[in-house]
Amino acid sequence: MESQPFRILSLDGGGIMGAFTASVLATYEKECKQRTGKGLVDHFDLITGTSTGGIIAIGLAMGASAETILKFYSDSGAKIFPRTSGVGGWLKRFRDLFRPKYTPAELRKAIEAVVGSSPLRDARTRLVIPSYDTEMGRIYLFKTPHHPWCAQDGDTLAVDVALATSAAPTYFPAHPIPGRGTFIDGGIWGNCPATVGITEALSFCGQSLPDVHVLSISTTNYPFRIGEDQQLGGLIGWAPKIIETFMFAQAQASVGLATCLLRDRSQPKPVDRFRRLDYLAPKDTYTMDDTRLVGKLVEVGRSVAEMVANRTIVMNEFLDGQAAPHFQGY
């Protein structure tokens, strides 16, 4: 008898570009409910997300619809990332050299409107959310209590976990959680958390590799190059590019490793259990905090979701009406 697949939803980081991800999910959620009567989150055994992907992951797990999360970007984006022009804009750029570009008050308010005030243990599915503990100097994974060794974060508020994983250096200040530590964006080491999800499935969820299936969704992509200014430059030359370099390199490594791990070459035609939805945009089309193009990101996300190849794979392999067993918390 074939075992039931262990399905993982992996969501990349990328600031306001999470509107692309939310649009993809909202498109599939609508069709999924029409075809199966079940919600999108009901089909996944585990969801992992980093930064803006972590906000989406937590929102889904706490009961918000993908459509509600999509409105989070369209309705609150401009408040979270306010734009300043004229003389005020130049003064802000100068101040940004010495402090984070944005304050987290509006971000917290918008996240609370989506996830409420519940602790992580109330999630409807397993969660693994990458962050970084600045006080201990170590990577950190916030988890639902789905294993005896993962019970320490069960009482942590979901909104605090969302703020911890999305506290991107230079954009937002580090996020303190009383009794837990002070955290920054998990994107500095796990912007594409696909391999985080696979590792969790094998190490803490009792799964074997042949049963693991991963749907990984990006926040769009572009042809990335490291220019001569960086190759031959020092601190000033590298400064504009260093964060992007870390994020792109990690994402490429995660996608490559996940592809290798979940490709079954024992069959005459290799079977891939890793599915990546992405969109290659022209360079500088989208940035992490430019809210003026949220509408375009939503359109592109919907178009990518509706592509026949993507839609066929997602609906047949991930959203087929076979609900994941409810996990038992500790």
Side-chain angles (χ1 to χ4, degrees), residues 50-196:
T50 300
S51 193
T52 197
I55 295 173
I56 297 171
I58 294 167
L60 291 172
M62 302 310 291
S65 67
E67 187 64 34
T68 296
I69 297 171
L70 181 57
K71 290 180 180 178
F72 161 86
Y73 291 95
S74 57
D75 294 349
S76 302
K79 298 176 184 177
I80 297 168
F81 300 112
R83 297 185 63 83
T84 305
S85 58
V87 175
W90 285 105
L91 290 174
K92 183 180 183 304
R93 291 186 185 94
F94 178 75
R95 289 195 297 267
D96 291 346
L97 296 173
F98 305 98
R99 67 185 188 186
K101 294 174 68 175
Y102 306 104
T103 60
E106 289 294 339
L107 177 59
R108 183 180 192 103
K109 188 188 302 184
I111 292 174
E112 283 182 331
V114 173
V115 308
S117 57
S118 298
L120 211 58
R121 67 172 64 256
D122 289 351
R124 294 168 54 186
T125 189
R126 299 173 186 85
L127 284 172
V128 182
I129 308 296
S131 188
Y132 191 86
D133 184 342
T134 62
E135 295 177 3
M136 297 299 293
R138 60 173 181 169
I139 63 172
Y140 194 87
L141 293 168
F142 289 95
K143 303 180 184 183
T144 46
H146 51 263
H147 185 278
W149 291 2
C150 305
Q152 67 270 18
D153 294 318
D155 293 326
T156 304
L157 295 182
V159 64
D160 278 320
V161 177
L163 288 167
T165 189
S166 58
T170 74
Y171 289 91
F172 292 104
H175 182 67
I177 302 178
R180 303 302 306 155
T182 302
F183 300 90
I184 59 174
D185 198 312
I188 65 170
W189 70 271
N191 202 56
C192 171
T195 47
V196 170

Side-chain angles (χ1 to χ4, degrees), residues 17-302:
M17 294 182 292
F20 167 85
T21 310
S23 180
V24 170
L25 293 172
T27 302
Y28 288 138
E29 180 183 68
K30 182 178 179 180
E31 181 173 355
C32 178
K33 286 184 177 180
Q34 291 174 344
R35 291 180 56 177
T36 71
K38 296 182 174 63
L40 183 147
V41 71
D42 299 325
H43 290 81
F44 291 96
D45 298 275
L46 182 149
I47 304 179
T48 182
T50 300
S51 193
T52 197
I55 295 173
I56 297 171
I58 294 167
L60 291 172
M62 302 310 291
S65 67
E67 187 64 34
T68 296
I69 297 171
L70 181 57
K71 290 180 180 178
F72 161 86
Y73 291 95
S74 57
D75 294 349
S76 302
K79 298 176 184 177
I80 297 168
F81 300 112
R83 297 185 63 83
T84 305
S85 58
V87 175
W90 285 105
L91 290 174
K92 183 180 183 304
R93 291 186 185 94
F94 178 75
R95 289 195 297 267
D96 291 346
L97 296 173
F98 305 98
R99 67 185 188 186
K101 294 174 68 175
Y102 306 104
T103 60
E106 289 294 339
L107 177 59
R108 183 180 192 103
K109 188 188 302 184
I111 292 174
E112 283 182 331
V114 173
V115 308
S117 57
S118 298
L120 211 58
R121 67 172 64 256
D122 289 351
R124 294 168 54 186
T125 189
R126 299 173 186 85
L127 284 172
V128 182
I129 308 296
S131 188
Y132 191 86
D133 184 342
T134 62
E135 295 177 3
M136 297 299 293
R138 60 173 181 169
I139 63 172
Y140 194 87
L141 293 168
F142 289 95
K143 303 180 184 183
T144 46
H146 51 263
H147 185 278
W149 291 2
C150 305
Q152 67 270 18
D153 294 318
D155 293 326
T156 304
L157 295 182
V159 64
D160 278 320
V161 177
L163 288 167
T165 189
S166 58
T170 74
Y171 289 91
F172 292 104
H175 182 67
I177 302 178
R180 303 302 306 155
T182 302
F183 300 90
I184 59 174
D185 198 312
I188 65 170
W189 70 271
N191 202 56
C192 171
T195 47
V196 170
I198 295 170
T199 302
E200 190 71 16
L202 302 182
S203 300
F204 294 96
C205 300
Q207 300 301 308
S208 59
L209 196 58
D211 295 328
V212 175
H213 297 244
V214 176
L215 175 61
S216 173
I217 306 178
S218 80
T219 52
T220 74
N221 201 350
Y222 70 85
F224 180 73
R225 301 288 186 273
I226 298 175
E228 189 172 331
D229 288 346
Q230 289 77 45
Q231 295 173 28
L232 304 178
L235 181 61
I236 293 178
W238 269 104
K241 202 78 171 182
I242 192 69
I243 293 178
E244 285 182 285
T245 302
F246 288 154
M247 290 172 60
F248 268 87
Q250 187 281 327
Q252 291 167 4
S254 183
V255 169
L257 289 169
T259 301
C260 291
L261 287 170
L262 300 184
R263 175 170 291 176
D264 183 359
R265 293 180 175 81
S266 64
Q267 306 298 323
K269 182 178 180 181
V271 177
D272 293 321
R273 301 190 308 279
F274 176 76
R275 306 293 181 181
R276 175 79 166 168
L277 302 189
D278 201 354
Y279 174 74
L280 189 66
K283 190 178 184 304
D284 298 327
T285 301
Y286 309 112
T287 60
M288 289 178 59
D289 60 346
D290 188 347
T291 60
R292 294 171 298 179
L293 293 175
V294 167
K296 185 63 177 179
L297 284 161
V298 173
E299 293 175 5
V300 171
R302 186 182 302 116

